[in-house]
C-alpha cells in the first residue's frame, strides 16, 4: 500500500508516534482549508454529526462547556448555539487562528494538561480529536479532573461501521479514495493519509467505552451515527 510511504511525509504513524509537536504542526499545515476539506470528505455529513453531538451533551443555557481539540472552533460554535458558554481549546495555533472570526472564546492548551481548575466545567466535548491525542487515557482522566461531579463528557469520533459488508466498503473508501480526494482539496494531503490510518487503528465502540470507564467516568453509553462511521460516546462524572 502506497500510504505507508506517503504518511512518512507527515512525520506521523497512526497509533505509534503521535508526538504532540508533530500533531500540532500537522494541524497547523491543514488549518487553512480544514473546514472545507472536512465538508467535502464527509459529503456534508459533518454538520449533522456536530448537531447530534450538541444534543447528546444536553447542556443547559449558561452552563460552561469546554470544547477540547476544537481546532477552528467549528465544533464550538455549534455548542454555543444551545446558549451555553462554550470555550474552544486546542494546542494548534494555526487551527485557532484559522477560526479567529468565530465568536467564541479560545484558549491554547493541551488535552492532557488543560488550563482549567478542578471541577470548573459543567461539560466537556471532544470531536474528532481524541484519536489524535498522544495518550487518550491520560486525556480522559484529565477531562474527569476539570468536569464537576454530575457533569457530562461527549466524545464524537470516527468508529467502526456495524454492518460488516458496509465496513468493508468503507475501509476501501478510507484507504484508497480519501487520500486521493484530499489531494484535490486539502492544503496538506498527506495529513489525510494519516487520517485514514488513524481511523483504522482506533478502538471500536465497546473498546472505547471500556477505556472511558477505566478513566473514571460512569454511565458510559454510545450511539452510532451514519451506520457507525461516527460514534457518540456519552459519560457522566461520578
Ligand atoms: C480533526 S481536528 C478536530 C477539530 C474540531 N473539534 C472539529 O470537530 O472539527 C483535531 C484537533 O485536535 C487537536 N489536538 C490533537 N491533539 C491535541 C492535544 N493533545 N491537545 C489539544 N489539541 C489537540 C489538533 O490540533 C486539531 O485541531
Amino acid at each position: 500500500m502506497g500510504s505507508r510511504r506517503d504518511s512518512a511525509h507527515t512525520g506521523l504513524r497512526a497509533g505509534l508516534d503521535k508526538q504532540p509537536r508533530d500533531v500540532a504542526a500537522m494541524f497547523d499545515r491543514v488549518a487553512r482549508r480544514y473546514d472545507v476539506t472536512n465538508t467535502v470528505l464527509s459529503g456534508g455529513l459533518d454538520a449533522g454529526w456536530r448537531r447530534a453531538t450538541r444534543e447528546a451533551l444536553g447542556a443547559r443555557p449558561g452552563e460552561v462547556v469546554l470544547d477540547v481539540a476544537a481546532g477552528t472552533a467549528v465544533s464550538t460554535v455549534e455548542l454555543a448555539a444551545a446558549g451555553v458558554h462554550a470555550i474552544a481549546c486546542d494546542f494548534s495555533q494555526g487551527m485557532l487562528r484559522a477560526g479567529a472570526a468565530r465568536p467564541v472564546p479560545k484558549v491554547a492548551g493541551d488535552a492532557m494538561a488543560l488550563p482549567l481548575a478542578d471541577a470548573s466545567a459543567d461539560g466537556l466535548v471532544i470531536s474528532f480529536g481524541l484519536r489524535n491525542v498522544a495518550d487518550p487515557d491520560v486525556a480522559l482522566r484529565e477531562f474527569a479532573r476539570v468536569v464537576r461531579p454530575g457533569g457530562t463528557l461527549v466524545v464524537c469520533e470516527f468508529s467502526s461501521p456495524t454492518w460488516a459488508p458496509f465496513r468493508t466498503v468503507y475501509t476501501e473508501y478510507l484507504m484508497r479514495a480519501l487520500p486521493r480526494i484530499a489531494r484535490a482539496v486539502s492544503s496538506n494531503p498527506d495529513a489525510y493519509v494519516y487520517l485514514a490510518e488513524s481511523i483504522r487503528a482506533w478502538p471500536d465502540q465497546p473498546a472505547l467505552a471500556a477505556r472511558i470507564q477505566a478513566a473514571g467516568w460512569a454511565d458510559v453509553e454510545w450511539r452510532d451515527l451514519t451506520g457507525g462511521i461516527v460514534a457518540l460516546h456519552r459519560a457522566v462524572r461520578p
Side-chain angles (χ1 to χ4, degrees):
M1 243 180 293
S3 59
R4 188 167 289 273
R5 177 176 51 80
D6 294 346
S7 64
H9 298 162
T10 66
L12 284 175
R13 296 290 310 167
L16 297 176
D17 53 357
K18 288 186 280 192
Q19 293 302 319
R21 193 184 306 160
D22 293 340
V23 175
M26 180 184 75
F27 279 102
D28 284 347
R29 288 194 294 272
V30 300
R32 193 168 49 84
R33 294 180 63 84
Y34 174 81
D35 293 349
V36 67
T37 308
N38 252 4
T39 301
V40 170
L41 290 180
S42 72
L45 291 169
D46 54 335
W49 295 339
R50 296 186 194 292
R51 203 167 40 249
T53 301
R54 170 170 54 75
E55 288 165 2
L57 182 70
R60 287 190 292 273
E63 288 191 332
V64 173
V65 173
L66 188 64
D67 185 18
V68 178
T72 60
V74 62
S75 47
T76 323
V77 288
E78 177 65 42
L79 300 173
V84 307
H85 184 63
I87 303 164
C89 175
D90 202 286
F91 70 2
S92 159
Q93 301 280 342
M95 290 289 274
L96 289 173
R97 252 197 311 275
R102 295 208 161 96
V104 287
K106 302 174 191 73
V107 58
D110 190 325
M112 297 183 292
L114 291 168
L116 255 77
D118 295 359
S120 56
D122 297 296
L124 190 149
V125 169
I126 183 162
S127 300
F128 308 107
L130 191 60
R131 177 177 33 84
N132 301 299
V133 172
D135 191 331
D137 302 304
V138 168
L140 288 166
R141 285 196 294 275
E142 176 68 349
F143 300 165
R145 180 186 70 76
V146 302
V147 173
R148 65 162 169 81
T152 308
L153 166 71
V154 174
V155 178
C156 172
E157 191 50 89
F158 290 112
S159 197
S160 294
T162 47
W163 191 48
F166 176 52
R167 190 164 55 240
T168 306
V169 170
Y170 173 71
T171 308
E172 287 299 301
Y173 163 77
L174 265 182
M175 293 312 286
R176 296 176 196 280
L178 186 147
R180 269 210 294 272
I181 297 169
R183 273 193 178 90
V185 287
S186 171
S187 50
N188 180 12
D190 289 342
Y192 289 84
V193 175
Y194 161 77
L195 170 68
E197 292 191 341
S198 67
I199 292 172
R200 282 168 63 103
W202 189 241
D204 65 8
Q205 291 87 330
L208 179 58
R211 285 172 74 167
I212 293 172
Q213 187 169 341
W217 292 89
D219 301 336
V220 185
E221 55 188 18
W222 73 84
R223 179 186 157 206
D224 292 324
L225 302 177
T226 320
I229 286 180
V230 169
L232 289 180
H233 283 73
R234 185 179 185 281
V236 176
R237 166 80 158 78

